[in-house]
Amino acid sequence: ATHKMVLFLIGLGLGDVRDVSVRALDVIRRAYKVYLESYTSILMQGTAAMVELYGRPVIEADRTFVEQGCEQMLTEAKEHEVCLLIVGDVFCATTHADIFVRAKQLGITVKTIHNAGIMTGVGCTGLELYRFGYTVTVPFFTDSWKPDSFYDRIAQNMRANMHTLVLLDIKVKEQSIENLMRGRQVFEPPRYMTVNRCLEQLLEVEETRKEGVLSADMMAVGVARVGTDTQHIAAGPLASLVDLDFGPPLHCVIIPSKSLSDMERAMLGLFPPRSYEPQPEVAAPAQAPAAPSQ
């Protein structure tokens, strides 16, 4: 049987390159080409770790590639099996629904292999997933650009007694204005928003809007590296979190509803406002220890 004209959208999960499913790995290893969507999220181990595990080259599909409609990838999917790897779960970002629709319009079969995503991963805090409202994203503010539509969404969720998941901006392959103007393909180092920066910006917007949606004494939860061995959660008044060190990326924030169930309270109580402390790595022995000599 020939496998033709299939685009696989494959979720990679949240933690580790080895979180890819066995079924997905089979597909990746036999596919004609393997692309990685690399601008809505990132696996901190990087592409080299994927290449090593899969035994396949991985082509990074950056923002430009995706926004130009993934033409090359879709053209290949008309003849071959092609994979697009997506960090987290496949449909957490709307971009991927767009790719799904375009592939269907071209008569390409699309198959999806799911994995853990941040939208459900935050269940690790103990906040009930059923009670989350709109998810918002907080972008990096600049001196001249401080969009605050997320403020209204948080207010709506609060009025409805719902939790808000706040996703944080990442800047990958961004160009400085100067390099952009001169047409130089030089990229800034990647930046990942921290819980701290996010909370500061939330309070800054409150200062401007003054609608009483956010305050330094309101409850918040900072979450880092969900689904990894170094996952870190700290819950408490916003002011108690703003100076903590949450460690390396990726981070997100949750603004819980004002009313919590007993179970939610009990769970959040397990995560006092503490900084992340890296545990000394337990190095696995390179080879099995020799049998003890008699």
Side-chain angles (χ1 to χ4, degrees):
T2 53
H3 295 284
K4 290 215 165 170
M5 289 186 66
V6 183
L7 173 63
F8 284 91
L9 300 178
I10 296 178
L12 295 182
L14 292 171
D16 182 292
V17 292
R18 291 166 309 168
D19 288 336
V20 69
S21 74
V22 178
R23 185 160 65 104
L25 202 50
D26 288 346
V27 173
I28 290 167
R29 288 184 170 156
R30 69 163 196 249
Y32 173 70
K33 275 201 185 163
V34 181
Y35 291 90
L36 169 69
E37 189 276 275
S38 66
Y39 83 93
T40 61
S41 188
I42 191 155
L43 269 188
M44 294 318 290
Q45 286 162 304
T47 316
M50 287 179 202
V51 172
E52 192 179 343
L53 175 67
Y54 307 152
R56 295 295 311 275
V58 173
I59 303 157
E60 292 203 22
D62 58 17
R63 180 190 293 264
T64 315
F65 181 93
V66 175
E67 285 179 350
Q68 285 168 359
C70 305
E71 295 304 331
Q72 175 189 340
M73 182 178 76
L74 292 173
T75 303
E76 289 163 353
K78 287 181 188 173
E79 300 288 328
H80 307 277
E81 286 187 316
V82 175
C83 299
L84 178 61
L85 310 180
I86 293 159
V87 174
D89 196 18
V90 170
F91 291 111
C92 281
T94 47
T95 309
H96 307 131
D98 184 57
I99 293 169
F100 186 96
V101 170
R102 304 215 36 250
K104 284 294 206 190
Q105 287 167 342
L106 294 168
I108 296 164
T109 304
V110 186
K111 295 187 179 174
T112 303
I113 302 180
H114 289 277
N115 209 316
I118 192 62
M119 313 285 280
T120 50
V122 291
C124 64
T125 58
L127 293 169
E128 290 171 24
L129 291 177
Y130 287 14
R131 297 191 55 207
F132 278 78
Y134 287 110
T135 295
V136 300
T137 302
V138 171
F140 278 109
F141 285 178
T142 65
D143 293 336
S144 56
W145 190 70
K146 299 186 179 181
D148 63 3
S149 58
F150 56 81
Y151 184 87
D152 303 296
R153 288 290 199 213
I154 297 170
Q156 276 176 293
N157 286 346
M158 287 208 163
R159 285 195 296 273
N161 215 5
M162 296 195 278
H163 310 312
T164 306
L165 169 59
V166 183
L167 300 176
L168 310 189
D169 200 4
I170 67 173
K171 297 256 183 239
V172 186
K173 282 190 92 170
E174 295 283 322
Q175 290 180 279
S176 67
I177 301 293
E178 186 190 355
N179 283 330
L180 207 57
M181 303 289 280
R182 294 175 179 234
R184 285 192 293 226
Q185 289 289 306
V186 181
F187 301 102
E188 302 296 295
R191 292 196 301 156
Y192 308 97
M193 189 182 290
T194 58
V195 168
N196 321 76
R197 173 81 184 252
C198 173
L199 296 176
E200 283 161 12
Q201 290 191 181
L202 290 178
L203 290 174
E204 185 182 339
V205 172
E206 180 57 57
E207 275 291 286
T208 315
R209 299 280 295 265
K210 295 188 167 55
E211 292 167 34
V213 174
L214 306 164
S215 66
D217 54 6
M218 76 186 291
M219 182 71 158
V221 187
V223 188
R225 298 173 303 286
V226 171
T228 68
D229 290 339
T230 65
Q231 174 174 298
H232 184 68
I233 305 170
L238 202 146
S240 70
L241 306 180
V242 78
D243 293 323
L244 297 182
D245 178 1
F246 283 84
L250 296 165
H251 295 184
C252 65
V253 166
I254 303 167
I255 308 291
S257 147
K258 294 275 197 263
S259 65
L260 299 176
S261 70
D262 293 344
M263 181 55 76
E264 288 177 318
R265 239 174 252 292
M267 279 286 288
L268 288 183
L270 300 174
F271 309 115
R274 280 200 295 248
S275 280
Y276 165 68
E277 288 170 20
Q279 300 305 311
E281 295 241 353
V282 184
Q287 65 272 334
S293 47
Q294 300 301 329

